[in-house]
Amino acid sequence: MKTKLAVLASVAALSSGSLASAGEVEVLHWWTSGGEAASVNYLKEKLGEAGVSWTDFAVAGGGGENAMTVLKSRAISGNPPTAAQIKGPSIQEWGNLGFLASIDSVAKSNDWDNLLPGVVSEVMKYKGEYVAAPVNVHRVNWLWANPEVFRKAGATIPTTWDDFMVQAQKIKDAGMIALAHGGQAWQDATVFEAVVLGVGGPGYYRKAFVELDADAINSATTVKVFETFGKLRGFIDSNSPGRDWNVATSMVINGEAGMQIMGDWAKGEFKVAGKHVGTDFVCVASPGSSGSFTFNVDSFAFFSQSDAEKAKAQGVMAGEILGVDFQRVFNLNKGSIPARLGMARDEFDSCAHDSMDAFVSSSQTGGLVPSFAHGMAVSEAVSGAIYDTATNFFNSKTSAKEGAAQLVKAINAAR
Ligand code: BGC
């Protein structure tokens, strides 16, 4: 007769045997901040429950530029990961290069076409078949504020760019930093994008930065955008160069700074710090953009595998990602809203509710636009040109007219 220990050992062997048979995934991502790590860990956990083991391939660097560089070198050397955080038009670029695997059978058997909004599902398909699975919808046009800083400065939360300058000046005069900012190209571009949307409105945004319409780019509105963007140079601190975005968020969390303009992944940092919306922090649409929504959908694209076990594990991963559990917990941690339609709202906070409502209403008014600062709108070459122009301008004394002219030149050269 077997001892208790031996029975336990054989049960463990049995279950580890069946777990191992569900395969393994190596997943490239750039989620290394507190809120991001909590989010991605849940995916790892869900896959573990489904018997898929996880090899973490995290490449630090907000916005994902570093991760994309590493991904390219791995792919070129013939050794891509099983799945990688890739989004927007880049999915098509990887598809064109022949790297991606279809997960259409998982998508079909789970009815993804009806579970996802059209603006999300179309990005996930290459030549009509799903090759990527969306984890969330981030809204990028947010302003995060510390109400205590505003109270001390006698300032009110701004809703237009003109008012932003007035309120930011009050915070500065009270001896605090008005705008927490990290001087990295993608963060400069994120703030620039918010200015484009608030100053020009979603119609101009779409024409100039999605359709790349020459007249819209080369217009008086673009000069006005650079004027407003340039004024923000006066509201950041001298230590901003190179600062990571989550460090900038922590300046708002601890009351060193009044505001940050950043996508709602920032909310994940407030959450990890145990802060509550309304009392400890406030979220409002970035100035002048309350009816609009710059969307940024994070997704995992799957790379073709010769090993059938790995391909099977990709199917399990894709299935988990669209599951109700994953979409709920991941997005509660990440600050985003679920990509999956019809999810219960009650556990989400008021920022998420605003985001859910704005996603629907902006899609009816033309205010729903893809984020160019986060790889959703234009090719990598064009977004690189916009990054360069925004960052060079912000870090110099270049005039608004000159900034606008440089943007026209850079976009023309890149497209
Ligand atoms: C991604 C977010 C991420 C942020 C900061 C964005 O481009 O979509 O998921 O949290 O960059 O790294």
Side-chain angles (χ1 to χ4, degrees), residues 30-31 36 61-63 85 87 138 186 245 265 296 298 334 374:
W30 64 88
W31 289 327
E36 291 174 332
Q85 192 187 341
K87 53 188 175 177
H138 272 303
W186 74 272
W245 68 271
W265 47 91
N296 170 23
D298 285 312
K334 191 72 171 65
H374 291 275

Side-chain angles (χ1 to χ4, degrees), residues 22-29 40 43-44 47 52-59 70-71 74-75 77-85 300-305 309-311 313-314 317:
E24 57 179 277
V25 285
E26 186 194 14
V27 183
L28 177 125
H29 62 90
V40 75
L43 181 55
K44 182 176 167 186
L47 289 181
V52 173
S53 65
W54 173 282
T55 302
D56 203 46
F57 186 4
V59 180
V70 173
L71 177 62
R74 275 281 301 264
S77 67
N79 182 27
T82 345
Q85 192 187 341
F300 283 107
F302 296 92
F303 282 76
S304 298
Q305 303 293 322
E309 283 295 299
K310 286 193 176 154
Q314 288 178 323
M317 179 171 167

Side-chain angles (χ1 to χ4, degrees), residues 30-33 35-36 60-65 85 87 135-136 138 140 186 190 245-246 262-266 269 296-299 330 334 336 371 373-376 387:
W30 64 88
W31 289 327
T32 55
S33 78
E36 291 174 332
E65 268 184 293
Q85 192 187 341
K87 53 188 175 177
V135 296
N136 65 3
H138 272 303
V140 186
W186 74 272
T190 300
W245 68 271
N246 52 318
M262 188 48 66
D264 43 21
W265 47 91
E269 302 308 297
N296 170 23
V297 178
D298 285 312
S299 46
F330 178 88
K334 191 72 171 65
S336 38
S371 166
H374 291 275
M376 297 300 299
Y387 272 35

Side-chain angles (χ1 to χ4, degrees), residues 25 39 83 146 204 239 242 337 409:
V25 285
S39 313
N146 181 317
Y204 162 78
N239 291 327
I337 59 172
K409 247 207 246 152

Side-chain angles (χ1 to χ4, degrees), residues 369-394:
V369 287
S371 166
F372 65 75
H374 291 275
M376 297 300 299
V378 286
S379 67
E380 248 188 77
V382 173
S383 70
I386 301 172
Y387 272 35
D388 288 350
T389 314
T391 209
N392 288 340
F393 174 82
F394 201 60

Side-chain angles (χ1 to χ4, degrees), residues 21-321:
S21 72
E24 57 179 277
V25 285
E26 186 194 14
V27 183
L28 177 125
H29 62 90
W30 64 88
W31 289 327
T32 55
S33 78
E36 291 174 332
S39 313
V40 75
N41 280 342
Y42 188 65
L43 181 55
K44 182 176 167 186
E45 198 181 308
K46 282 304 274 181
L47 289 181
E49 282 167 16
V52 173
S53 65
W54 173 282
T55 302
D56 203 46
F57 186 4
V59 180
E65 268 184 293
N66 298 348
M68 290 305 101
T69 307
V70 173
L71 177 62
K72 280 175 200 151
S73 66
R74 275 281 301 264
I76 288 167
S77 67
N79 182 27
T82 345
Q85 192 187 341
I86 305 180
K87 53 188 175 177
S90 287
I91 295 175
Q92 303 306 311
E93 294 175 21
W94 282 101
N96 286 336
L97 292 171
F99 277 107
L100 300 186
S102 170
I103 48 161
D104 215 45
S105 61
V106 178
K108 283 224 167 70
S109 58
N110 290 291
D111 202 18
W112 285 14
D113 277 349
N114 288 313
L115 283 189
L116 295 172
V119 35
V120 174
S121 59
E122 74 195 19
V123 180
M124 303 299 135
K125 292 180 184 175
Y126 176 70
K127 297 210 165 132
E129 295 199 11
Y130 282 91
V131 291
V135 296
N136 65 3
V137 179
H138 272 303
R139 186 187 194 187
V140 186
N141 57 312
W142 281 114
L143 181 146
W144 307 93
N146 181 317
E148 182 60 16
V149 171
F150 276 74
R151 201 190 51 73
K152 280 195 207 147
T156 52
I157 311 273
T159 55
T160 64
W161 279 112
D162 285 344
D163 191 35
F164 180 97
M165 306 305 165
V166 175
Q167 305 307 331
Q169 191 60 47
K170 289 186 196 164
I171 297 174
K172 193 175 168 182
D173 290 345
M176 292 170 288
I177 298 164
L179 185 61
H181 182 65
Q184 296 174 345
W186 74 272
Q187 294 186 67
D188 295 340
T190 300
V191 175
F192 178 69
E193 175 174 286
V195 176
V196 168
L197 187 66
V199 169
Y204 162 78
Y205 180 109
R206 185 183 297 281
K207 266 207 146 8
F209 291 91
V210 183
E211 294 164 8
L212 304 179
D213 176 275
D215 291 338
I217 304 169
N218 195 0
S219 68
T221 309
T222 305
V223 178
K224 187 138 190 278
V225 164
F226 276 93
E227 260 162 33
T228 304
F229 187 44
K231 285 185 188 155
L232 301 183
R233 294 169 180 144
F235 296 120
I236 62 174
D237 65 309
S238 58
N239 291 327
S240 78
R243 177 188 286 142
D244 285 330
W245 68 271
N246 52 318
V247 176
T249 309
S250 72
M251 292 164 65
V252 179
I253 293 176
N254 66 28
E256 209 182 317
M259 303 175 262
Q260 182 184 22
I261 290 167
M262 188 48 66
D264 43 21
W265 47 91
K267 202 180 71 190
E269 302 308 297
F270 286 98
K271 185 168 180 205
V272 165
K275 302 294 180 188
H276 297 287
V277 62
T279 42
D280 304 318
F281 71 97
V282 172
C283 61
V284 290
S286 56
S289 77
S290 63
S292 303
F293 192 120
T294 33
F295 67 91
N296 170 23
V297 178
D298 285 312
S299 46
F300 283 107
F302 296 92
F303 282 76
S304 298
Q305 303 293 322
S306 44
D307 179 342
E309 283 295 299
K310 286 193 176 154
K312 218 165 94 197
Q314 288 178 323
V316 176
M317 179 171 167
E320 287 295 336
I321 284 176

